[in-house]
Amino acid sequence: MTDWSPGTALLALDWLIRLAALWWIPSRSAPAAARSWLLLVGFVPLLGLPLYLLFGHPWLSRERVLRQARASQAIRAGQLPQKALRWRPPATGPAAETAPLVERLGAFMPVRGNAVELLDDYDGSLAALLADIDAARERVHLLYYLMFDDAVGAAVADALVRAAGRGVRCRLLLDAVGAKRGYRAFARRLRAAGVEVHPMLPGGLRWRRSGRMDLRNHRKIAVIDDHVGHIGSQNLADARFVPGHPNRELVARVRGPAVSHLEAVFASDWYLETGQQLEVSPQRPVHDEDVAVQLLPSGPAYPFANARDTVNALIHLAQHRLVLVTPYFVPDDATLSALRIAALSGVEVQLILSASNNQRLTAWAQHSYYEELLQAGVRIALYRPRFLHAKHLSVDDAVALVGSINLDIRSFALNAEAGLLCYDRGVVARMRAIEADYLADAEQVQLAAWRRRAPWRRSLEGLARLADSFM
């Protein structure tokens, strides 16, 4: 009988884990993610294996996936009374291919008859939301990734208490991690006032009934009565909730038939969390501005990566000018290739990022992409006055997309996100003015100067890039 020493047994276990990882991981992960995880397991098997089991695959419970499928089916059926409001894209241009793609991915058809107001001022956007809540007569539905226990969180809580006191039906969905502080501070008081409050994707002992521990609901949506909806990047927190990084955001305030689509996303998430089905009326007043919009929901409960596929399609469909704004830029191979191809094809591609960043590892990984993009002709501008947390893009003069979607692997694969596509020259022109304002206070990165950065920075950026699948 072989007498194994502890050292020999540990060595055997290390190699057993490595061989099992080679067989298991590539069949359950995308190639880029598999490479990163195999590298980690190869170096530190006893640490890499438990980390992969916890975070290696963006799985959701079977029940959540089934509930999302039922919700998408209900969303398609619920739009039948709006058939006369369906917007038909022109035969040519980006919208001709984007609109049917988005409808197949996320279930929402493009609808006309909307008004879209782009709110670029942080305090002004918050004031508009509070005013809309104070004007509510029937219901207020809020779905937010982050709510802080600060003056802004308190102001929103106060507005909900006032609305509930008037007999308005108020419901609040908050991400269990991002909004932990606000949930702890305000949930008891809100419930006592009659507001229904639920955490999304709770962790702890319940996490196996929801999904992978770091999956998050990153959406920011408000729906007030049949009248108005808000969607964008702004959370329920003071602009300076991260010290040293005051935020700049962009929110779309929507009126018209698309408000029912925003409500359907809220109802879908409410159903995923509670099992309770809410009634969503498709009847909303048609607005004279007649803007055509389409809602894009995305997340791990869907069979495809809706946000990634839509963003990549828009990049490939751009013919003249493409502007992308994001605070976190850690693209997958498909997005990186799409940007490079667009620039090399003669499209003017402008990437606007924040010069400051509250995520150090993400910032290092982000820097690793600059050289190859600059070499292909992509322009990269770094906005300096604030932390540019806005997330939007514009394609030619035809399409604008605004919402919660970052250009990173987390938004594409792990987070529940939402974006609003606007097929309207007027909205695109207003977004172009906002982009121009960013560029006026931004510094364009120059390829020659970027190549002169210190070698230790290059090494650090490369190491951070290897961790892109863990972000």
Side-chain angles (χ1 to χ4, degrees):
M1 184 174 185
T2 304
D3 190 11
W4 285 44
S5 68
T8 303
L10 183 60
L11 180 63
L13 179 61
D14 275 2
W15 277 103
L16 180 63
I17 291 173
R18 290 186 178 100
L19 292 173
L22 281 172
W23 171 76
W24 179 269
I25 293 176
S27 64
R28 287 161 176 80
S29 303
R35 285 193 296 270
S36 297
W37 283 110
L38 287 173
L39 185 65
L40 178 63
V41 173
F43 272 103
V44 278
L46 294 178
L47 175 64
L49 177 63
L51 284 178
Y52 176 78
L53 293 175
L54 287 173
F55 303 113
H57 185 67
W59 67 272
L60 276 174
S61 68
R62 183 186 301 271
E63 179 60 25
R64 282 183 177 269
V65 174
L66 287 174
R67 285 183 179 183
Q68 181 60 67
R70 294 188 200 113
S72 294
Q73 185 177 11
I75 285 168
R76 289 187 173 93
Q79 294 173 85
L80 292 177
Q82 289 185 329
K83 187 164 60 173
L85 295 174
R86 173 185 283 275
W87 178 74
R88 306 288 180 181
T92 59
E97 296 184 45
T98 304
L101 169 68
V102 172
E103 185 169 359
R104 292 187 185 106
L105 290 173
F108 289 102
M109 68 181 184
V111 289
R112 59 178 181 81
N114 301 282
V116 177
E117 181 183 3
L118 297 180
L119 304 176
D120 180 43
D121 175 71
Y122 198 103
D123 293 336
S125 175
L126 175 64
L129 175 62
L130 293 174
D132 286 335
I133 295 174
D134 282 334
R137 293 294 175 264
E138 296 179 10
R139 64 190 173 280
V140 174
H141 288 165
L142 303 184
L143 161 60
Y144 279 86
Y145 168 68
L146 190 150
M147 184 180 190
F148 257 40
D149 53 348
D150 58 13
V152 170
V156 174
D158 290 346
L160 289 172
V161 169
R162 290 193 299 270
R166 299 192 305 271
V168 176
R169 187 70 177 267
C170 296
R171 296 183 176 95
L172 176 63
L173 281 172
L174 295 172
D175 184 81
V177 174
K180 183 186 296 184
R181 286 174 54 174
Y183 182 81
R184 288 177 175 174
F186 305 120
R188 182 176 298 178
R189 178 186 170 218
L190 289 169
R191 286 178 178 139
V195 179
E196 298 177 63
V197 185
H198 283 282
M200 296 180 288
L201 293 166
L205 296 177
R206 294 179 290 171
W207 73 272
R208 286 196 63 83
R209 295 206 306 268
S210 54
R212 177 173 145 175
M213 291 178 67
D214 64 334
L215 299 184
R216 302 275 38 102
N217 193 311
H218 194 241
R219 294 167 178 160
K220 295 96 172 166
I221 290 174
V223 183
I224 294 90
D225 293 340
D226 293 337
H227 177 58
V228 65
H230 295 239
I231 179 172
S233 62
Q234 188 167 336
N235 287 295
L236 303 180
D238 186 89
R240 292 169 175 78
F241 71 89
V242 177
H245 297 276
N247 284 21
R248 184 169 181 180
E249 310 282 1
L250 186 64
V251 172
R253 183 174 181 268
V254 185
R255 290 167 291 161
V259 174
S260 69
H261 296 189
L262 291 170
E263 179 129 33
V265 171
F266 178 92
S268 174
D269 280 349
W270 188 268
Y271 174 57
L272 260 65
E273 294 301 333
T274 69
Q276 178 187 3
Q277 298 182 33
L278 303 179
E279 290 292 329
V280 179
S281 170
Q283 304 304 324
R284 295 297 192 277
V286 175
H287 201 276
D288 291 340
E289 286 191 21
D290 201 27
V291 173
V293 306
Q294 187 175 25
L295 196 58
L296 169 68
S298 181
Y302 290 89
F304 301 104
N306 296 1
R308 181 201 64 192
D309 292 350
T310 300
V311 168
N312 288 349
L314 288 169
I315 294 171
H316 282 300
L317 291 167
Q319 296 180 343
H320 307 292
R321 188 162 193 251
L322 173 69
V323 182
L324 308 101
V325 179
T326 182
Y328 308 118
F329 179 73
V330 186
D332 61 4
D333 289 343
T335 307
L336 190 65
S337 175
L339 288 168
R340 190 171 58 244
I341 290 170
L344 290 171
S345 300
V347 177
E348 181 187 342
V349 181
Q350 175 70 71
L351 188 60
I352 305 177
L353 309 172
S354 184
S356 63
N357 197 310
N358 62 350
Q359 303 289 337
R360 186 64 60 87
L361 182 63
T362 300
W364 290 336
Q366 180 171 295
H367 294 163
S368 71
Y369 297 95
Y370 289 2
E371 186 167 334
E372 61 184 294
L373 289 173
L374 291 167
Q375 195 169 10
V378 176
R379 300 184 56 156
I380 301 173
L382 303 180
Y383 176 79
R384 297 202 172 278
R386 289 178 168 239
F387 176 47
L388 186 57
H389 190 251
K391 309 142 197 308
H392 52 91
L393 64 85
S394 57
V395 180
D396 299 335
D397 58 357
V399 183
L401 171 63
V402 59
S404 65
I405 303 166
N406 294 309
L407 299 183
D408 66 359
I409 295 168
R410 168 158 288 281
S411 268
F412 287 169
L414 303 181
N415 290 343
E417 306 281 8
L420 185 75
L421 289 121
C422 303
Y423 305 109
D424 184 84
R425 290 174 178 267
V427 174
V428 175
R430 294 196 292 274
M431 186 172 282
R432 289 276 192 238
I434 293 169
E435 295 163 355
D437 190 59
Y438 297 156
L439 292 171
D441 287 315
E443 178 184 352
Q444 295 284 351
V445 179
Q446 302 300 324
L447 178 59
W450 186 251
R451 282 174 168 166
R452 291 197 296 269
R453 68 195 187 283
W456 66 266
R457 284 191 57 183
R458 290 174 177 266
S459 299
L460 193 62
E461 293 160 8
L463 288 171
R465 183 166 174 170
L466 286 175
D468 60 1
S469 299
F470 313 140
M471 294 178 185

